[in-house]
Amino acid sequence: MVSRRSSKDTVHYVIRPADLALHLFEVTLTIASPDPDGQVVSLPAWIPGSYMIREFARNIVQIRAECEGRKIRLTKLDKHSWKAARCDGPLQLHYEVYAWDLSVRAAHLDQTHGFFNGTSTFLQAHGKEDLPHVVDILPPDDGDTYANWRVATSLRELKARRHRFGTYSADNYDELIDHPVEMGEFELIEFDAHGVPHEMAITGKVPNLDSARLAADLKKICEHQIALFEPTTKRAPMDRYVFLTMVVGDGYGGLEHRASTALICSRSDLPVKGQPVMSEGYRTFLGLCSHEYFHTWNVKRIKPAVFAPYDLREENYTPLLWLFEGFTSYYDDLTLVRAGLIDEKTYLGLLTKTLNGILRGSGRLKQSVAESSFDAWTKYYRQDENAPNAVVSYYTKGSLVALLLDLTIRAGTRGKRSLDDVMRALWRRYGRDFYAPKLAGAFGKGVTEADIDALFDEISGLSLKALLDKAVRGTKDLPLAEAFAALAVSMTPTSKPAKPGLEVRTRKEGNDCKLASVHEGGAAHRAGLSAGDVLVAIDGLRVTASNLDATLARYRVGDTISLHAFRRDELMTFSVDLKADSVTQYAIDARDKPLAGAKLRKAWLKVRA
Ligand SMILES: [Zn+2]
């Protein structure tokens, strides 16, 4: 449906990098017909995709309101909202945003580039959210110095040429804040995936970047995922897709949006011309791209009911992040093997690492992935030294829940159905039309826990409720070995290394060896050591950050050592009974038999027999 609106109704922003050295964006918001009772505006408290209250309004440095050019009163209502005095219009708000957060979640500006998410820069005009939103993106004032700056964003150009400063637009506020913007002298890599233009803008110096390889590998990932959800039409859910990549010395992260993603990676992760090896860093980077791209379907369109629409003022609780983050984590590496970028052995090695990592934390025995999802705001996103003993990751365990369900459906239907069918059903029912033209600004429908349970049984033809209860809402370890066996994959305990360990995580502080966390049930825990303790000596020999392992390696399981440590600068002595690693670890390997199982496995990983 197309409705005609007068241009009077728009909400108009102008954003300009005002002071690059002070990291300030200057924004003007013009509301043509403000609320006659006094217009309320606010900045989101969180950014969708990152489930923590971040209170972005704290970065607004100055703000003032004008009515037809005259200054009027602006009253602050709470930590992120303001109300302007009555104004017949137009109402203008002028404000500065401090942008010095080098992450994918906020905004960053200096002489080398600018980046912003709308959640950090664009005030929401209450009551006007469903109107068209227009934004002029302007270059820094000193035109000559920044003459080569370009713009990369998936926002729709209204009066702007591709990659140029100018006027961009969105149908509503929800869309406006879902297209981050990068500006600067980035390198641009372009390719198409099933006919849809894709690009990656790379900010930061990367000598000898193998951009042809990057484009070819990304194309494989994107085409595989498009075909997974739309095997017949191969139709992508967007007209255009943009990867915004910030390259730093040491960093990793990504945040998904409906037609783009913001990424941070380490320089050493990107491929070098003439070096065709698949380094671990590059494989991890491709996994990150694959993960964020998969979110284009799973969480940006197929969404939990409480995200349709988001309430950006406060926490939006959902027990379903195991599906939206966990399943996305399952498909990110699975895409790499299915697209031929890694082999079967490497893929099973990645699963082994995930499984063994989860088994290290006793938090998995106390919190289900449904509970971890619900408490993401206060626990997963705010991890302290006790996290391994209290929190389970809905990413990693959620990915194993997906694996378990996929293997179970494949075995139970002799390969006729799989998790792919469940994802496609979710897509058809909830995702495909989520942003389709809607009546009066209503949003598409999100999915509930009960919907998911019912859908699994319907699509698989199996009874999976008990398994879902156990895997998602329970805290026992997943019955993965049995599920693997049906696909001719062995999961066997590895023999425990004879060398003793403390079962701690350490942090290097200068030359000091500080305990970052102490794992429940391990030797350090039983001896009374605590996170924060600085290890000093073992049996009178100095311990440093670099020699702890070598020092411990001189002892055998069953030995007792005297360990000195500082706690709040007071020297303490501990008697530690060294024991073998208390956690069972596994090896996961492909087998030739049974033949039927091996055939199912090849179909699962789409590798040749
Ligand atoms: Zn994710």
Side-chain angles (χ1 to χ4, degrees):
M1 199 179 88
V2 178
S3 62
R4 290 183 54 165
R5 289 192 177 105
S6 74
S7 60
K8 256 193 86 172
D9 287 344
T10 57
V11 179
H12 189 148
Y13 304 81
V14 179
I15 183 163
R16 188 174 69 86
D19 190 324
L20 287 76
L22 263 186
H23 320 302
L24 292 176
F25 281 109
E26 189 180 87
V27 186
T28 298
L29 161 60
T30 305
I31 302 165
S33 325
D35 185 335
D37 294 330
Q39 180 66 47
V40 174
V41 295
S42 67
L43 207 58
W46 61 284
I47 180 167
S50 183
Y51 307 109
M52 190 168 125
I53 297 299
R54 297 185 190 274
E55 296 156 338
F56 296 115
R58 71 196 169 85
N59 290 318
I60 292 186
V61 180
Q62 303 191 66
I63 181 166
R64 65 190 158 85
E66 284 177 8
C67 183
E68 294 177 282
R70 279 178 302 106
K71 191 169 177 195
I72 58 167
R73 191 159 39 88
L74 187 65
T75 308
K76 194 152 191 189
L77 302 178
D78 58 32
K79 61 188 176 182
H80 43 227
S81 314
W82 291 261
K83 186 174 186 177
R86 190 195 157 95
C87 167
D88 292 332
L91 169 72
Q92 280 201 325
L93 289 145
H94 300 278
Y95 55 100
E96 286 174 343
V97 178
Y98 180 63
W100 195 236
D101 179 345
L102 189 57
S103 80
V104 294
R105 300 178 296 258
H108 191 255
L109 175 69
D110 67 9
Q111 296 89 333
T112 68
H113 88 125
F115 169 81
F116 65 84
N117 283 289
T119 37
S120 281
T121 52
F122 298 138
L123 286 169
Q124 174 180 347
H126 288 223
K128 315 283 177 193
E129 292 86 350
D130 296 331
L131 296 177
H133 282 56
V134 172
V135 51
D136 292 331
I137 304 176
L138 304 185
D141 260 350
D142 186 353
D144 283 348
T145 314
Y146 303 103
N148 294 326
W149 275 31
R150 294 189 288 172
V151 175
T153 179
S154 51
L155 263 178
R156 200 168 51 245
E157 296 99 352
L158 189 67
K159 278 182 236 152
R161 287 191 296 131
R162 178 69 41 93
H163 302 133
R164 298 296 167 193
F165 289 94
T167 307
Y168 291 76
S169 73
D171 285 345
N172 49 52
Y173 184 74
D174 180 69
E175 185 186 337
L176 176 76
I177 58 169
D178 204 12
H179 298 278
V181 174
E182 170 70 28
M183 56 179 78
E185 292 185 48
F186 43 79
E187 173 160 359
L188 203 60
I189 295 173
E190 294 174 282
F191 61 96
D192 81 271
H194 288 310
V196 172
H198 284 58
E199 64 187 45
M200 179 176 277
I202 299 180
T203 301
K205 289 186 183 131
V206 189
N208 281 316
L209 173 69
D210 191 344
S211 45
R213 180 179 180 193
L214 192 48
D217 291 348
L218 288 171
K219 181 183 172 80
K220 284 182 191 161
I221 290 168
C222 298
E223 292 199 333
H224 175 82
Q225 292 188 6
I226 293 169
L228 172 78
F229 282 98
E230 295 284 5
T232 317
T233 63
K234 311 254 193 313
R235 189 178 299 144
M238 51 355 217
D239 302 332
R240 193 177 156 237
Y241 191 88
V242 181
F243 293 89
L244 299 174
T245 305
M246 177 78 201
V247 184
V248 295
D250 183 21
Y252 175 83
L255 193 59
E256 67 277 8
H257 299 280
R258 71 184 67 182
S260 63
T261 177
L263 308 169
I264 284 196
C265 73
S266 300
R267 191 164 289 111
S268 57
D269 291 346
L270 295 175
V272 183
K273 263 183 208 152
Q275 292 180 17
V277 289
M278 175 65 77
S279 69
E280 201 181 315
Y282 183 44
R283 196 205 61 232
T284 305
F285 178 68
L286 290 178
L288 176 66
C289 296
S290 176
H291 181 99
E292 304 307 341
Y293 195 73
F294 195 84
H295 274 315
T296 312
W297 292 266
N298 195 34
V299 94
K300 293 314 308 189
R301 287 170 178 80
I302 307 164
K303 291 179 186 235
V306 293
F307 290 180
Y310 302 111
D311 181 345
L312 296 167
R313 294 167 304 179
E314 58 188 20
E315 295 87 344
N316 291 188
Y317 298 103
T318 169
L320 291 174
L321 294 180
W322 56 269
L323 172 70
F324 293 99
E325 288 300 346
F327 281 33
T328 301
S329 298
Y330 172 61
Y331 276 100
D332 60 25
D333 286 340
L334 186 61
T335 299
L336 300 189
V337 65
R338 285 178 165 181
L341 294 163
I342 59 173
D343 61 17
E344 181 182 83
K345 192 172 162 43
T346 306
Y347 177 67
L348 294 180
L350 292 172
L351 288 184
T352 310
K353 214 172 143 191
T354 302
L355 171 67
N356 288 337
I358 294 166
L359 294 172
R360 284 256 154 240
S362 64
R364 77 187 198 284
L365 304 172
K366 299 165 193 167
Q367 193 188 40
S368 69
V369 284
E371 289 166 335
S372 182
S373 298
F374 196 88
D375 284 338
W377 306 84
T378 49
K379 292 194 173 184
Y380 185 80
Y381 265 91
R382 291 171 63 183
Q383 294 186 27
D384 59 19
E385 63 289 334
N386 195 42
N389 302 328
V391 175
V392 70
S393 163
Y394 50 77
Y395 282 85
T396 53
K397 188 178 171 189
S399 77
L400 293 192
V401 171
L403 169 71
L404 176 67
L405 287 161
D406 200 3
L407 298 176
T408 304
I409 297 171
R410 283 170 190 275
T413 63
R414 294 185 192 181
K416 288 193 185 67
R417 290 276 183 276
S418 73
L419 189 63
D420 299 350
D421 294 297
V422 177
M423 295 313 297
R424 282 191 278 270
L426 279 169
W427 172 242
R428 284 193 304 271
R429 282 180 209 180
Y430 300 94
R432 196 190 263 156
D433 294 329
F434 191 85
Y435 295 121
K438 299 168 293 284
L439 296 172
F443 278 86
K445 189 166 68 125
V447 53
T448 66
E449 215 173 0
D451 296 334
I452 305 279
D453 284 2
L455 195 74
F456 265 100
D457 282 1
E458 182 199 327
I459 301 302
S460 69
L462 307 171
S463 296
L464 296 171
K465 177 76 166 66
L467 187 64
L468 277 162
D469 277 341
K470 188 174 177 176
V472 171
R473 295 172 277 269
T475 55
K476 291 214 174 74
D477 285 334
L478 303 174
L480 273 171
E482 298 91 316
F484 269 133
L487 274 80
V489 177
S490 65
M491 177 178 140
T492 42
T494 51
S495 51
K496 290 187 177 167
K499 61 175 188 180
L502 294 176
E503 294 189 51
V504 293
R505 278 214 297 253
T506 58
R507 188 184 304 132
K508 192 173 174 315
E509 279 191 4
N511 208 18
D512 285 343
C513 182
K514 191 172 191 173
L515 297 186
S517 47
V518 172
H519 291 215
E520 183 175 1
H525 165 219
R526 300 202 314 185
L529 282 145
S530 164
D533 288 352
V534 177
L535 305 190
V536 177
I538 289 177
D539 285 342
L541 280 173
R542 187 179 176 199
V543 172
T544 64
S546 48
N547 76 358
L548 176 65
D549 288 345
T551 306
L552 281 172
R554 303 197 73 86
Y555 293 87
R556 284 164 307 174
V557 170
D559 290 348
T560 299
I561 56 171
S562 169
L563 197 154
H564 284 84
F566 280 122
R567 184 175 298 174
R568 297 184 299 274
D569 294 341
E570 294 177 17
L571 188 64
M572 297 175 73
T573 312
F574 301 88
S575 174
V576 185
D577 292 330
L578 292 177
K579 49 182 214 139
D581 198 338
S582 65
V583 176
T584 304
Q585 300 274 276
Y586 291 87
I588 298 172
D589 293 292
R591 299 280 178 239
D592 297 335
K593 285 181 181 142
L595 264 181
K599 238 175 110 178
L600 286 179
R601 188 184 73 240
K602 303 283 180 198
W604 165 44
L605 301 178
K606 304 202 188 304
V607 291
R608 277 192 213 101

